[in-house]
Amino acid sequence: MTILSPDPSSRLKLFLSLDCTVLPTSTSEDGQALLDKAVQLLRHPAYMLFQGRKLLSTFGGERAEFGGWGWEGWLERLNRELGEEVGRPPWSCSEMIADEKVFFMPGFFLPPDNINAMKHVDGMFNWNSAW
């Protein structure tokens, strides 16, 4: 059973927010396992778009290493895999047009200036504003 409707015209849209306080993120194997699952979910027709891009968030994860990839390398791999689904050439993330990339809006527990300096971050998700 799935909560995502197979009907792409459905008004219900969901986005993925990775709970990196509990997901393993230290090795490249951890990164690949998370990448495989994320690609599967982000390809779903009911996946939410923000400003025309697939929205991806996190809860924590500011120290995720993914075996040396870091978030920048992990996102590059994610964007490359998602790009291959629509027949784009296998170029690097830095060569992709901005609207072809995932909109990455993490909920990192860092000072806003530190997050704002990260080139791979498109926005900030504030998990601590409700309490």
Side-chain angles (χ1 to χ4, degrees), residues 58-60 62 106-110 124-131:
T58 70
F59 178 77
E62 58 277 355
F108 290 158
F109 296 101
L110 295 170
M124 293 179 236
F125 203 104
N126 184 355
W127 282 99
N128 290 328
S129 63
W131 43 78

Side-chain angles (χ1 to χ4, degrees), residues 40-52:
Q40 177 186 0
L41 293 170
L42 271 78
R43 284 182 173 160
H44 196 283
Y47 199 86
M48 182 178 166
L49 301 180
F50 179 74
Q51 297 181 351

